[in-house]
Amino acid sequence: MSEFREHPRRWAVSDPDRPAIVLAGSGRVVTYGELDRRANQAAHLFRKLGLNRGDHVAMLIENHPRFLEIAWAAQNAGLYYTPISWRFRPEEIAFILGDCGANVLLYTQQQAELVQSLSRQLPEMTYIAVDHTVPGHLDYEREIAAQPSTPIADESRGSDMLYSSGSTGRPKGIKQALPNLAVDGLSAMFRVYT
């Protein structure tokens, strides 16, 4: 195993009890060890769902404790991941889901009513309810609990695909080529020029 010098797993390995997230309000601490285990489980879930490097997941998740582990899982599985603003109108969200080619949408209870409308428009999408249960949708907690907490065998660097509101009336996505790097490789964003 590499040293993970440029990856958050560095602390999960060397100092697993180090706080990664402290939740405002409750003060609950999520350690790097816990974050890494749960992200690994979510990455295994993505593979179980048939997602491979270059595939796409989307998240309709407000500021929520599960957001970072899902993004980290997608990043480690070589997936594109798109966080979608819950402030967008349903037709804008449906457009983004189609435009980015997402196969899976993860969403919170706060977004359940919105997703109910979307699921009628996009019935082929796999829907994962993050903090609640919905008949016909996967239950995130139940699904990841059944997955190993070790890294997936084929980890590779994924990337976000972010959308703006667009200047032409349609949201605009920015899709970068996936870097051909291990998860702990230094991102080109941090390249030092001499």
Side-chain angles (χ1 to χ4, degrees):
M1 180 163 73
S2 72
E3 296 176 21
F4 294 101
R5 287 175 287 164
E6 306 299 335
H7 190 278
R9 189 170 292 143
R10 166 187 181 185
W11 292 285
V13 171
S14 66
D15 189 5
D17 295 328
R18 181 179 182 162
I21 303 167
V22 179
L23 302 172
S26 71
R28 182 181 178 282
V29 173
V30 177
T31 66
Y32 275 99
E34 179 183 357
L35 182 60
D36 187 50
R37 285 188 301 277
R38 290 183 62 88
N40 289 336
Q41 289 175 300
H44 279 283
L45 173 60
F46 293 150
R47 288 295 187 262
K48 177 185 168 196
L49 294 174
L51 299 175
N52 295 303
R53 180 173 169 78
D55 287 337
H56 205 111
V57 299
M59 299 179 283
L60 193 53
I61 300 175
E62 68 283 357
N63 189 9
H64 192 279
R66 298 292 176 237
F67 180 88
L68 286 176
E69 74 188 47
I70 294 166
W72 190 350
Q75 173 79 12
N76 289 349
L79 303 176
Y80 288 103
Y81 55 99
T82 293
I84 301 174
S85 174
W86 54 270
R87 291 178 177 93
F88 282 149
R89 295 184 316 272
E91 58 273 12
E92 291 174 309
I93 295 170
F95 172 80
I96 290 170
L97 291 170
D99 185 65
C100 73
N103 306 82
V104 172
L105 176 64
L106 297 106
Y107 69 98
T108 60
Q109 185 171 16
Q110 185 172 322
Q111 311 311 327
E113 187 174 319
L114 180 57
V115 170
Q116 184 178 9
S117 167
L118 289 169
S119 65
R120 287 191 295 273
Q121 295 176 54
L122 303 167
E124 69 287 345
M125 180 83 55
T126 299
Y127 295 91
I128 303 177
V130 172
D131 55 1
H132 62 297
T133 58
V134 174
H137 294 188
L138 297 177
D139 177 329
Y140 180 74
E141 293 299 328
R142 182 179 304 130
E143 293 294 329
I144 70 163
Q147 304 304 318
S149 61
T150 54
I152 57 174
D154 61 339
E155 280 191 324
S156 65
R157 179 77 64 87
S159 180
D160 58 14
M161 183 175 175
L162 303 178
Y163 278 78
S164 71
S165 59
S167 59
T168 61
R170 288 273 192 194
K172 300 273 191 268
I174 301 165
K175 184 176 185 179
Q176 304 174 57
L178 286 179
N180 193 13
L181 294 170
V183 295
D184 63 332
L186 186 61
S187 171
M189 181 172 34
F190 302 113
R191 187 176 300 143
V192 176
Y193 296 95
T194 56

